[in-house]
Amino acid sequence: MKYNYILILFLVLSTKAISQHISLDDDFKKDNRNLTFDKEDFKIYFDKEGMILENKHKENTKWTLINTDSDYDEIDFDIEASVTLIKSKSDEAGYGLVWACYKDNSNYHVVNLNANKQNKLYWYYNEKFTYDLKWTENKNIKNKKENKIKVSRRAQFVYIYINDELVVKSDNVSYYGSKFGFIVDAGTTMKVTKLKITEYPLSIDVVETFDPNMKMEKLPVSISSTEFEETNPIISADGKTIYITRKDCKFNIDSENDDIWFATKDNQGKWSDLKNMGRPLNNKGNNFVISSSPDNNTLLVGNKYAADGINTNGSGVSISSKTIDGWEIPKALEIKDYINKSKYVGYFLSSDNKHLLMAVERDEGLGLSDFFVSFIEDNGTWSKPVHMGNQINTKEDEANPFLAADGKTMYFSSNGHPGYGGYDLFVSKRLDDSWTNWSKPKNLGKVINSSSTELSIFLSAKGDKAYVGKSSDIWEISNTVKQDPVALIKGRVFDNKTKSILYTSIFYNDLKSNKELGKAISDPSTGSYSIVLPYGQRYSFMAEKEGYYAVTENVDLSNLNEYKEITVDLYLNPIEKGQTIRLNNIFFDSGKYDLLSESNAELEKLLKVLKDNKQLTIEIAGHTDAVGADNNNLVLSNNRANAVMNFLISNGISKERLTAKGYGETKFITTNDTEEGKQQNRRVEFLILEM
């Protein structure tokens, strides 16, 4: 297709739209803008009804363009035009509207009609034609009568109407130029009776905390290389380990497929070089990490793995944990009634390891891929996916969910919510425990998002930094979205007698209800663990291992108002004669000995140990701090020890196996000069007398 064009400059002075604004409105009954043009093969002239474009050239298409002065990347708009075909040398010859043409005419969009009652919609960019619609029959088109063309841009979507009928909805537009006009094929004459451009504020709901001055910084070449493509950044809860997917790399196990690589950050904030994860996480297929548990000892990974750890076993999602021998071969998750009609899928495993988010296409959805959630069941399988509601889901594609450490703030990619490009990144907040009630999604703004495609974002538990895969590189940017505060509880697990490290499970519960909220494991090499606890309540957490009494700690996050890291080492006591074991989660009101309900979990645990070990006899010991009279403290400690003993007796433990004794202030384990020291001295313990 060859083009000759006449460029008529018409400046419409306007600033970025604050409210609805008509920037151009002409019925062309008079040549008010000096548009008349007269050459042998192309004429523009006016009669009492409108502007006539007469193309007498034998083969070249002609056009005329009007230059406005608005930034159409930054606003929404409606273009309304009325055109009539007067004559054409063939029924296939086109005529119509040129819109959003770039300044040097290298990028433009066309709505074309012809006498065959057909329409064609295309755009031209980088010397390439892209068709939203090739010549297609449209019985709504009127021959030699006025036809109305309307183009509406709302965020990333363009709606094109012919005679008030929607012909195409498209997101296949990445740039909006400031020139508008009309186009006629060779041997064709058309009349224009209207061109109106109405501008609106850009209909993108951006997060209130968006800062346009933020800068994205590419991670160092040790991670974001110049040689290979790196995507899909996954950051650990403590922000010190990053997993990425490296594509088309000669150092991958299979150079034609993707591999998982990782790097660590030292105490000075410097990232190490990337290292290949090796087998079994990398095999002959495409390998990638989806999410990491807070302890960084369990990874959710893409696809299914064969039992040999070398080959793939189809699409799906798998999980792998560290063992004494290294990472185990990933095991496929079993999801009830799992169906996905799309060739794409996205997953995320929540910090508590109990909620599996997924982007899949199912009959229960609104159209293309939607967000669903599955819940872990007692047997380790996952429930049938539940649709997550119409607030975050659209008729278009939702992709790559990421649930922040607070368990409520979800970041995701979508091309269905108003954005700047094909896919943008958004954030929404879960409003209740139904998993279907979410706040209105907010766009993360035009620093993170662009006119191209943004598909993934990941944050550490602190939530101050976001990591984004963009243009084959890994980028870091400050996160301005406020999440609910969380505490990262971390430490190591030891044998209290030998002080050797232990490989154990760590459970954390609601202290009041004793409801289990999540599970972690300690690193088999270092004994380290970490768990993430949201603000607003009191928690208990304990390490549990066969042959040991599970030591329980507690933390009160009722008034937590910012991210906090708390180090708590856990010491497990072997269940053997002579061991003294502290009952950390036994609670009394000040100066009283009535057991509070928050003590039930600890009491039930002690009860189970006694029932499982029939020969076990113990002494229950009560201790106080130095506050108060010595005699009063002795009586109080004795009463508290008896309260624990009476609970055990009332639940079936023989009195002959139990002794209760109060020691008052006689056995301090630390100073009484600090509140923390006093708290440690106020304790209930039991001593194993016989096994």
Side-chain angles (χ1 to χ4, degrees), residues 348 357-359 369-371 388 391-394 397-404 408-418 423-429 438-444 448-449 454-459:
F348 184 79
L357 280 62
M358 62 191 79
S369 291
D370 275 4
F371 291 128
M388 290 171 63
Q391 184 74 281
I392 54 173
N393 289 312
T394 69
D397 266 321
E398 275 65 57
N400 296 337
F402 165 76
L403 192 66
K408 295 179 180 180
T409 307
M410 188 172 84
Y411 300 77
F412 62 93
S413 178
S414 172
N415 69 345
H417 295 283
Y423 287 80
D424 271 16
L425 293 169
F426 299 85
V427 64
S428 177
K429 194 161 188 175
W438 295 82
S439 66
K440 182 182 178 183
K442 301 277 189 178
N443 190 291
L444 292 182
I448 288 178
N449 291 314
E454 280 71 43
L455 282 175
S456 67
I457 185 169
F458 219 92
L459 290 83

Coordinates of all heavy atoms in Angstrom, one line a residue, residues 348 357-359 369-371 388 391-394 397-404 408-418 423-429 438-444 448-449 454-459:
F348 N 0.4 -19.2 43.3 CA 1.2 -18.7 44.4 C 0.7 -19.4 45.7 O -0.5 -19.6 45.9 CB 0.9 -17.2 44.6 CG 1.8 -16.6 45.7 CD1 3.1 -16.3 45.5 CD2 1.3 -16.4 47.0 CE1 3.9 -15.8 46.5 CE2 2.0 -15.9 48.0 CZ 3.4 -15.6 47.8
L357 N -3.2 -19.9 45.6 CA -3.8 -19.1 44.6 C -3.4 -19.5 43.2 O -2.3 -19.9 43.0 CB -3.4 -17.6 44.8 CG -4.1 -16.8 46.0 CD1 -3.9 -17.5 47.3 CD2 -3.6 -15.4 46.0
M358 N -4.4 -19.4 42.2 CA -4.1 -19.8 40.9 C -4.8 -18.9 39.9 O -5.9 -18.4 40.2 CB -4.4 -21.2 40.7 CG -5.8 -21.6 40.8 SD -6.1 -23.4 40.9 CE -5.6 -23.8 42.6
A359 N -4.2 -18.7 38.7 CA -4.9 -18.0 37.6 C -5.1 -19.1 36.5 O -4.2 -19.5 35.9 CB -4.0 -16.9 37.1
S369 N -8.7 -16.2 31.8 CA -8.1 -16.7 33.1 C -8.6 -15.8 34.3 O -8.5 -14.6 34.2 CB -6.6 -16.7 33.1 OG -6.2 -17.8 32.2
D370 N -9.1 -16.4 35.4 CA -9.5 -15.7 36.6 C -8.7 -16.3 37.8 O -8.0 -17.3 37.7 CB -11.0 -15.9 36.8 CG -11.9 -15.0 36.1 OD1 -11.3 -14.2 35.3 OD2 -13.1 -15.0 36.3
F371 N -8.8 -15.5 38.9 CA -8.1 -16.0 40.1 C -9.1 -16.9 40.9 O -10.3 -16.6 41.1 CB -7.7 -14.8 41.0 CG -6.6 -14.0 40.4 CD1 -6.7 -12.6 40.3 CD2 -5.5 -14.6 39.9 CE1 -5.7 -11.9 39.7 CE2 -4.4 -13.8 39.4 CZ -4.6 -12.5 39.3
M388 N -12.5 -16.3 43.1 CA -12.2 -15.2 44.1 C -13.0 -13.9 43.9 O -12.6 -12.9 44.4 CB -10.7 -14.9 44.1 CG -9.9 -16.1 44.7 SD -8.1 -16.0 44.5 CE -7.7 -14.6 45.5
Q391 N -14.7 -8.6 41.8 CA -14.0 -7.4 42.0 C -12.6 -7.4 41.4 O -12.2 -6.5 40.8 CB -13.9 -7.0 43.5 CG -13.3 -5.7 43.8 CD -14.2 -4.5 43.5 OE1 -14.4 -4.1 42.4 NE2 -14.9 -4.0 44.5
I392 N -11.9 -8.5 41.6 CA -10.5 -8.6 41.1 C -10.5 -9.3 39.7 O -9.6 -9.1 39.0 CB -9.6 -9.3 42.1 CG1 -10.1 -10.7 42.5 CG2 -9.3 -8.5 43.3 CD1 -9.1 -11.5 43.3
N393 N -11.5 -10.1 39.4 CA -11.5 -10.8 38.2 C -12.3 -10.0 37.1 O -13.3 -9.3 37.5 CB -12.2 -12.2 38.3 CG -11.2 -13.1 39.1 OD1 -10.1 -13.2 38.8 ND2 -11.8 -13.8 40.1
T394 N -11.9 -10.2 35.9 CA -12.6 -9.5 34.7 C -12.9 -10.5 33.6 O -12.5 -11.7 33.8 CB -11.7 -8.4 34.2 OG1 -10.6 -9.0 33.5 CG2 -11.3 -7.4 35.3
D397 N -7.9 -11.4 30.9 CA -6.9 -12.3 31.6 C -6.4 -11.7 32.9 O -6.0 -10.5 32.9 CB -5.7 -12.5 30.7 CG -5.8 -13.8 29.8 OD1 -6.3 -14.8 30.4 OD2 -5.4 -13.8 28.7
E398 N -6.5 -12.5 33.9 CA -5.7 -12.2 35.1 C -4.6 -13.2 35.2 O -4.7 -14.3 34.8 CB -6.6 -12.3 36.4 CG -7.4 -11.1 36.7 CD -8.4 -10.7 35.6 OE1 -9.3 -11.5 35.3 OE2 -8.3 -9.6 35.1
A399 N -3.4 -12.7 35.8 CA -2.2 -13.6 35.7 C -1.3 -13.3 37.0 O -1.4 -12.3 37.6 CB -1.4 -13.3 34.5
N400 N -0.6 -14.4 37.3 CA 0.5 -14.3 38.3 C 0.2 -13.6 39.6 O 0.7 -12.5 39.9 CB 1.7 -13.6 37.7 CG 2.3 -14.4 36.5 OD1 2.1 -15.6 36.4 ND2 2.9 -13.7 35.6
P401 N -0.7 -14.2 40.4 CA -1.0 -13.6 41.7 C 0.2 -13.7 42.7 O 1.0 -14.6 42.7 CB -2.1 -14.5 42.3 CG -1.9 -15.8 41.6 CD -1.3 -15.5 40.3
F402 N 0.4 -12.6 43.5 CA 1.3 -12.6 44.6 C 0.7 -12.1 45.9 O 0.2 -11.0 45.9 CB 2.6 -11.8 44.3 CG 3.4 -11.5 45.5 CD1 4.2 -12.4 46.0 CD2 3.3 -10.2 46.1 CE1 5.0 -12.1 47.2 CE2 4.1 -9.9 47.2 CZ 4.9 -10.9 47.8
L403 N 0.6 -12.9 46.9 CA 0.0 -12.5 48.2 C 1.1 -12.1 49.1 O 2.0 -12.9 49.5 CB -0.8 -13.6 48.7 CG -1.8 -13.3 49.9 CD1 -2.9 -12.4 49.4 CD2 -2.4 -14.6 50.5
A404 N 1.0 -10.8 49.6 CA 2.0 -10.3 50.5 C 2.0 -11.1 51.8 O 1.1 -11.9 52.1 CB 1.8 -8.8 50.7
K408 N -3.2 -10.7 53.1 CA -4.3 -9.9 52.6 C -4.1 -9.1 51.4 O -5.0 -8.9 50.6 CB -4.8 -9.0 53.7 CG -5.3 -9.7 55.0 CD -5.8 -8.7 56.0 CE -6.3 -9.4 57.3 NZ -6.7 -8.4 58.3
T409 N -2.9 -8.5 51.2 CA -2.6 -7.6 50.1 C -2.1 -8.4 48.9 O -1.0 -9.1 49.0 CB -1.5 -6.6 50.5 OG1 -2.0 -5.9 51.7 CG2 -1.4 -5.6 49.4
M410 N -2.9 -8.4 47.8 CA -2.5 -9.2 46.7 C -2.1 -8.3 45.5 O -2.8 -7.4 45.1 CB -3.7 -10.1 46.2 CG -3.3 -11.1 45.1 SD -4.5 -12.3 44.8 CE -5.6 -11.4 43.6
Y411 N -1.0 -8.6 44.9 CA -0.5 -8.0 43.7 C -0.7 -8.9 42.6 O -0.6 -10.2 42.7 CB 1.0 -7.6 43.8 CG 1.3 -6.7 45.0 CD1 1.4 -7.1 46.3 CD2 1.6 -5.3 44.7 CE1 1.7 -6.3 47.3 CE2 2.0 -4.5 45.7 CZ 2.0 -4.9 47.0 OH 2.3 -4.1 48.1
F412 N -1.0 -8.4 41.4 CA -1.3 -9.3 40.3 C -1.2 -8.6 38.9 O -1.2 -7.3 38.9 CB -2.6 -10.0 40.4 CG -3.8 -9.0 40.4 CD1 -4.5 -8.7 39.2 CD2 -4.3 -8.4 41.6 CE1 -5.5 -7.8 39.2 CE2 -5.3 -7.5 41.6 CZ -6.0 -7.2 40.4
S413 N -1.1 -9.3 37.9 CA -1.1 -8.8 36.5 C -2.5 -9.0 35.9 O -3.1 -10.0 36.1 CB 0.0 -9.4 35.7 OG 0.0 -8.9 34.4
S414 N -2.9 -8.0 35.0 CA -4.2 -8.2 34.4 C -4.2 -7.3 33.1 O -3.6 -6.2 33.1 CB -5.3 -7.8 35.3 OG -6.6 -7.7 34.6
N415 N -4.9 -7.7 32.1 CA -5.2 -6.8 31.0 C -6.7 -6.5 30.9 O -7.2 -6.0 29.9 CB -4.7 -7.4 29.7 CG -5.5 -8.6 29.2 OD1 -6.3 -9.2 30.0 ND2 -5.4 -9.0 28.0
G416 N -7.4 -6.8 32.0 CA -8.8 -6.5 32.1 C -9.2 -5.3 32.9 O -10.2 -4.7 32.7
H417 N -8.3 -4.9 33.8 CA -8.5 -3.6 34.6 C -7.8 -2.5 33.8 O -6.9 -2.7 33.1 CB -7.9 -3.8 36.0 CG -8.6 -4.8 36.8 ND1 -9.9 -4.6 37.4 CD2 -8.3 -6.1 37.2 CE1 -10.3 -5.6 38.1 NE2 -9.3 -6.6 37.9
P418 N -8.3 -1.2 34.0 CA -7.7 -0.1 33.3 C -6.2 0.0 33.5 O -5.8 0.1 34.7 CB -8.5 1.1 33.8 CG -9.8 0.5 34.2 CD -9.5 -0.8 34.8
Y423 N -0.7 -5.8 29.6 CA -0.9 -6.2 31.0 C -0.2 -5.2 31.9 O 0.9 -4.8 31.7 CB -0.2 -7.6 31.2 CG -1.0 -8.8 30.5 CD1 -0.8 -9.0 29.2 CD2 -1.8 -9.6 31.3 CE1 -1.5 -10.1 28.6 CE2 -2.5 -10.6 30.7 CZ -2.3 -10.9 29.3 OH -3.0 -11.9 28.8
D424 N -0.9 -4.9 33.0 CA -0.3 -4.0 34.0 C -0.3 -4.7 35.3 O -1.0 -5.7 35.5 CB -1.2 -2.7 34.1 CG -0.7 -1.6 33.2 OD1 0.1 -1.9 32.2 OD2 -1.0 -0.4 33.4
L425 N 0.4 -4.2 36.3 CA 0.4 -4.7 37.6 C -0.5 -3.9 38.6 O -0.5 -2.7 38.5 CB 1.8 -4.7 38.2 CG 2.8 -5.6 37.5 CD1 4.2 -5.4 37.9 CD2 2.4 -7.1 37.7
F426 N -1.3 -4.6 39.4 CA -2.3 -4.0 40.2 C -2.2 -4.5 41.7 O -1.4 -5.5 41.9 CB -3.7 -4.4 39.7 CG -4.0 -3.9 38.3 CD1 -3.6 -4.6 37.2 CD2 -4.7 -2.7 38.1 CE1 -3.8 -4.1 35.9 CE2 -4.9 -2.2 36.9 CZ -4.5 -2.9 35.8
V427 N -2.9 -3.9 42.6 CA -2.9 -4.4 44.0 C -4.4 -4.3 44.5 O -5.1 -3.3 44.1 CB -2.0 -3.5 44.8 CG1 -2.4 -2.1 44.9 CG2 -1.8 -4.1 46.2
S428 N -4.7 -5.2 45.3 CA -6.1 -5.2 45.9 C -5.9 -5.9 47.3 O -4.9 -6.6 47.6 CB -7.1 -6.1 45.1 OG -8.3 -6.1 45.7
K429 N -6.9 -5.6 48.2 CA -6.8 -6.1 49.6 C -8.0 -7.0 49.9 O -9.1 -6.6 49.7 CB -6.7 -5.0 50.6 CG -6.2 -5.4 51.9 CD -5.7 -4.2 52.7 CE -5.0 -4.7 54.0 NZ -4.4 -3.6 54.7
W438 N -12.9 -8.4 47.9 CA -11.7 -7.7 47.7 C -12.0 -6.2 47.5 O -13.0 -5.8 46.9 CB -10.9 -8.3 46.5 CG -10.5 -9.7 46.8 CD1 -11.2 -10.8 46.6 CD2 -9.2 -10.1 47.3 NE1 -10.5 -11.9 46.9 CE2 -9.2 -11.5 47.3 CE3 -8.0 -9.5 47.6 CZ2 -8.2 -12.3 47.7 CZ3 -6.9 -10.2 48.0 CH2 -7.0 -11.6 48.1
S439 N -11.0 -5.4 47.8 CA -11.1 -4.0 47.5 C -10.9 -3.8 46.0 O -10.4 -4.6 45.3 CB -10.0 -3.2 48.3 OG -8.7 -3.5 47.8
K440 N -11.4 -2.6 45.5 CA -11.2 -2.3 44.1 C -9.8 -2.3 43.7 O -9.0 -1.6 44.4 CB -11.9 -1.0 43.8 CG -11.8 -0.6 42.3 CD -12.4 0.8 42.1 CE -12.3 1.2 40.6 NZ -12.8 2.5 40.3
P441 N -9.3 -3.0 42.7 CA -7.9 -3.1 42.3 C -7.4 -1.7 41.9 O -8.1 -0.9 41.3 CB -7.9 -4.0 41.2 CG -9.1 -4.9 41.4 CD -10.1 -4.0 41.9
K442 N -6.2 -1.4 42.3 CA -5.5 -0.1 42.0 C -4.3 -0.4 41.1 O -3.5 -1.4 41.4 CB -5.1 0.6 43.3 CG -6.2 0.9 44.2 CD -6.9 2.2 43.9 CE -7.9 2.6 44.9 NZ -8.5 3.9 44.6
N443 N -4.1 0.4 40.1 CA -3.0 0.3 39.2 C -1.7 0.8 40.0 O -1.8 1.8 40.7 CB -3.2 1.1 37.9 CG -2.2 0.9 36.9 OD1 -1.1 1.3 37.0 ND2 -2.6 0.3 35.8
L444 N -0.6 0.2 39.8 CA 0.6 0.6 40.5 C 1.3 1.8 39.9 O 2.3 2.2 40.4 CB 1.6 -0.6 40.6 CG 1.1 -1.8 41.5 CD1 2.2 -2.9 41.5 CD2 0.8 -1.3 42.9
I448 N 6.3 1.6 37.3 CA 6.4 0.2 37.2 C 5.7 -0.3 35.9 O 6.2 -1.1 35.2 CB 5.7 -0.5 38.4 CG1 6.5 -0.3 39.7 CG2 5.4 -2.0 38.2 CD1 5.9 -0.9 40.9
N449 N 4.5 0.3 35.6 CA 3.8 -0.1 34.4 C 4.2 0.7 33.2 O 4.6 1.9 33.4 CB 2.3 0.0 34.7 CG 1.8 -1.1 35.6 OD1 2.2 -2.3 35.5 ND2 1.0 -0.7 36.6
E454 N 3.7 -5.9 31.7 CA 4.3 -6.2 33.0 C 3.5 -7.4 33.6 O 2.3 -7.4 33.7 CB 4.2 -5.1 33.9 CG 5.3 -4.0 33.7 CD 5.1 -3.2 32.4 OE1 3.9 -2.8 32.1 OE2 6.1 -3.0 31.7
L455 N 4.3 -8.5 33.9 CA 3.6 -9.7 34.3 C 3.8 -10.2 35.7 O 3.0 -11.0 36.2 CB 4.0 -10.9 33.3 CG 3.3 -10.9 31.9 CD1 3.9 -12.0 31.1 CD2 1.8 -11.1 32.1
S456 N 4.9 -9.7 36.4 CA 5.2 -10.3 37.7 C 5.8 -9.3 38.6 O 6.6 -8.4 38.2 CB 6.1 -11.5 37.6 OG 7.4 -11.2 37.2
I457 N 5.5 -9.4 39.9 CA 6.0 -8.6 40.9 C 6.1 -9.4 42.2 O 5.3 -10.3 42.5 CB 5.2 -7.3 41.2 CG1 5.9 -6.4 42.2 CG2 3.8 -7.7 41.6 CD1 5.2 -5.0 42.2
F458 N 7.2 -9.2 43.0 CA 7.4 -10.0 44.2 C 8.0 -9.1 45.3 O 8.8 -8.2 45.0 CB 8.3 -11.1 43.9 CG 8.0 -12.4 44.6 CD1 7.2 -13.3 44.0 CD2 8.4 -12.7 45.9 CE1 6.8 -14.5 44.6 CE2 8.1 -13.8 46.6 CZ 7.3 -14.8 45.9
L459 N 7.6 -9.3 46.5 CA 8.1 -8.5 47.7 C 8.6 -9.4 48.8 O 8.1 -10.5 49.0 CB 7.0 -7.5 48.2 CG 6.6 -6.4 47.3 CD1 5.5 -6.8 46.3 CD2 6.0 -5.3 48.2

